[in-house]
Amino acid sequence: MQQSLSQCILTAEMRPKCAHLLIVLIIVVHGQNYPPSDVQWVNRYRQGFNFQCYPGEALVSIQSYYDKSEGSDRVWSFECMPTPQEMGEVTECWWDDIQRAGLEWYHTCSNNGIVAGIQSRYFEAVLDREWQFYCCRYSRRCPYGCWLTTDFPEHYEEEGHLVLQNYGYFIRGAGTTFSAFHRDRQWKYVICRMTNFDCDFDNL
């Protein structure tokens, strides 16, 4: 096709065959589903990943892009921001429980932790991923004023992009639904503020 197309471009008159080749090329290019090139994706489709913020930072942005032709999978991008100084230093960090592929689930960081990373592995057999949050706690700080976001993405197979607009709010976990038809997920993130003082250390 490339040679024929080059001949068409060099030909003075557009012949019906040339017009057909150009139309086919436009349809092929238009039909390809590429994630935005200006985003730093942490994985390729069907590929596992392990993302962690730098010490003293928390996750503040989660973006994903779906492609049905790539195993109904998504590429993912994350951004972090330093936590407020009044929260003090990180006491400890850990990988929390694994959330299995193909299931709906709701999970927040144990020990009053906040999300500072995510790792995931893709499973071809179910066209879905398992998930695990990397959580960090700050002394005996406790969450308060928590709420659930709306769905990200708003509809299955769409691009999803969560950004925490207000400084001092943190992701503590998520609830997610899985569509057996679309082989895709929608996410509601658990957003909280954290106290500036130590409190009774009950996991909330």
Side-chain angles (χ1 to χ4, degrees), residues 149-161:
T149 67
T150 56
D151 284 320
F152 289 88
E154 186 176 356
H155 303 286
Y156 290 113
E157 302 187 15
E158 293 182 346
E159 182 178 358
H161 196 181

Side-chain angles (χ1 to χ4, degrees), residues 107-109 112-115 143 170-173 190 192 194 203-204:
H107 184 77
T108 56
C109 285
N112 293 335
I114 59 177
V115 177
F170 306 95
I171 301 170
R172 288 212 61 237
V190 182
C192 299
M194 299 295 286
N203 186 52
L204 302 177

Side-chain angles (χ1 to χ4, degrees), residues 4-84:
S4 300
L5 184 59
S6 299
Q7 292 173 352
C8 287
I9 294 173
L10 294 174
T11 301
E13 294 182 357
M14 178 64 75
R15 299 172 182 171
K17 180 181 178 182
C18 296
H20 173 74
L21 286 171
L22 287 174
I23 290 170
V24 170
L25 179 63
I26 291 170
I27 292 173
V28 169
V29 171
H30 180 73
Q32 291 176 330
N33 188 23
Y34 295 112
S37 59
D38 59 342
V39 179
Q40 187 173 354
W41 306 105
V42 301
N43 67 302
R44 296 180 180 178
Y45 292 111
R46 311 180 199 217
Q47 181 187 66
F49 64 82
N50 178 319
F51 176 85
Q52 297 178 43
C53 299
Y54 289 114
E57 294 185 346
L59 207 61
V60 295
S61 175
I62 302 175
Q63 185 174 1
S64 66
Y65 195 87
Y66 176 89
D67 192 334
K68 191 176 187 67
S69 67
E70 291 284 358
S72 298
D73 195 22
R74 289 179 175 269
V75 287
W76 292 83
S77 176
F78 307 100
E79 294 183 20
C80 307
M81 182 176 288
T83 56

Side-chain angles (χ1 to χ4, degrees), residues 86-87 138-144 194-200:
E86 54 266 27
M87 282 184 60
Y138 290 72
S139 186
R140 296 172 64 87
R141 304 294 193 261
C142 294
Y144 71 96
M194 299 295 286
T195 61
N196 295 331
F197 53 85
D198 290 348
C199 55
D200 292 335

